Amino acid sequence: MTCREIITLLQEQSPEEFACDWDNVGLLVGDYDQEINKIYIALDATEETILEAAEEHADLLLTHHPMIFKGLKKVNTHDLIGRRVVKLIQNNISCYAMHTNFDVKGMASLAAERMMLSDCEVLDVTCLHKESAEGIGRVGLLPDQMTLEDCVSCVKRVFAVDTVKVFGNLKKTVRKAAICPGSGKSVISHAIRAGAEVLITGDIDHHEGIDASDQGLAIIDAGHYGVEKMFIPYMVQYLRDRTAGIEIAGQPVKQPFHYI
């Protein structure tokens, strides 16, 4: 299959039109007509990831986060992003990113399903499609009323994370939950307006956390990578089910930092 044909399949899952205006999704490096025999899937196109893709003899690196966010005036090995672009080209690897389009059409529903949320609604509406509201995150009801401490245990289990950061009283009971994989600072106000009692997300700083707690919203910060890493096995299976004769490999779980 060509890179263009693979992209068609990716667009069926998460059309690029669902991406936020500030985002940079799609084919960032490469040739639409390149023959693809192996795809390597990861969350980020770091230098280590690109090296792994090259060692795997991959023709396409599929990532969630875009390697290029801002305009490039130069592409050379003295620049971090330029160095990555050069490595991709040298190894004849195309690079495609599906970021907020996957957040809208994929990640939010996957996360809500893992937490077994019911009666779900979009948390932060970012676009209208065929008169249907679409957007980032979901808000719904947990299977049962539970303490925040029990909800923490559930989050750690379903997203396979060892540690989380929690703002709020662990003995507080919660039932209505909001979930936003990735960075959730911008959706705190949406979660409060929706009447959520707990927000499951990542990248919450001190002030955002304590201010949310004072407004009655507990927060479970499971990490940006902690929740979003489910992109990798999901897309591995998605492409395996829709391609023949193409090898699909996913990057093993690699926490980007350590608690010591």
Side-chain angles (χ1 to χ4, degrees), residues 167-168 188 192 204-219:
F167 294 92
I188 290 175
I192 292 171
I204 300 299
D205 292 335
H206 172 79
H207 294 289
E208 286 89 2
I210 61 174
D211 289 350
S213 182
D214 274 352
Q215 295 175 84
L217 178 68
I219 296 183

Side-chain angles (χ1 to χ4, degrees), residues 119-175:
D119 301 325
C120 285
E121 297 179 354
V122 174
L123 178 60
D124 179 10
V125 176
T126 56
C127 61
L128 294 175
H129 182 70
K130 297 180 180 179
E131 300 182 357
S132 176
E134 302 286 353
I136 305 294
R138 295 290 184 269
V139 58
L141 298 177
L142 293 163
D144 298 292
Q145 190 175 66
M146 61 183 71
T147 65
L148 179 60
E149 187 173 21
D150 287 337
C151 190
V152 166
S153 298
C154 181
V155 168
K156 291 171 68 175
R157 175 175 53 81
V158 301
F159 294 112
V161 292
D162 294 328
T163 57
V164 298
K165 181 166 60 177
V166 185
F167 294 92
N169 183 346
L170 290 174
K171 301 305 178 184
K172 169 187 175 179
T173 57
V174 296
R175 181 74 194 277

Side-chain angles (χ1 to χ4, degrees), residues 10-183:
L10 299 177
Q11 292 258 40
E12 289 174 3
Q13 160 61 48
S14 306
E16 292 176 18
E17 65 203 63
F18 285 94
C20 295
D21 293 340
W22 52 263
D23 205 2
N24 189 34
V25 302
L27 186 65
L28 305 185
V29 177
D31 180 358
Y32 284 99
D33 296 320
Q34 180 183 7
E35 283 292 329
I36 304 298
N37 296 300
K38 185 167 186 177
I39 302 172
Y40 192 68
I41 303 175
L43 210 64
D44 298 280
T46 63
E47 290 194 41
E48 181 182 16
T49 299
I50 294 169
L51 177 60
E52 291 170 354
E55 291 175 343
E56 291 277 347
H57 303 291
D59 309 294
L60 175 64
L61 173 60
L62 171 62
T63 67
H64 178 48
H65 297 132
M67 180 183 65
I68 302 171
F69 260 118
K70 296 180 291 186
L72 296 176
K73 292 185 177 181
K74 298 179 181 179
V75 177
N76 60 54
T77 56
H78 292 282
D79 173 76
L80 175 64
I81 304 302
R83 190 160 58 244
R84 294 174 181 174
V85 173
V86 169
K87 286 182 181 294
L88 286 165
I89 294 172
Q90 286 176 334
N91 289 281
N92 198 30
I93 301 172
S94 293
C95 183
Y96 186 92
M98 45 198 305
H99 188 211
T100 51
N101 53 324
F102 186 79
D103 287 337
V104 171
K105 299 295 288 182
M107 192 82 80
S109 295
L110 285 173
E113 287 170 8
R114 288 202 179 191
M115 289 300 299
M116 299 178 64
L117 298 187
S118 61
D119 301 325
C120 285
E121 297 179 354
V122 174
L123 178 60
D124 179 10
V125 176
T126 56
C127 61
L128 294 175
H129 182 70
K130 297 180 180 179
E131 300 182 357
S132 176
E134 302 286 353
I136 305 294
R138 295 290 184 269
V139 58
L141 298 177
L142 293 163
D144 298 292
Q145 190 175 66
M146 61 183 71
T147 65
L148 179 60
E149 187 173 21
D150 287 337
C151 190
V152 166
S153 298
C154 181
V155 168
K156 291 171 68 175
R157 175 175 53 81
V158 301
F159 294 112
V161 292
D162 294 328
T163 57
V164 298
K165 181 166 60 177
V166 185
F167 294 92
N169 183 346
L170 290 174
K171 301 305 178 184
K172 169 187 175 179
T173 57
V174 296
R175 181 74 194 277
K176 194 169 189 179
I179 188 159
C180 178
S183 180

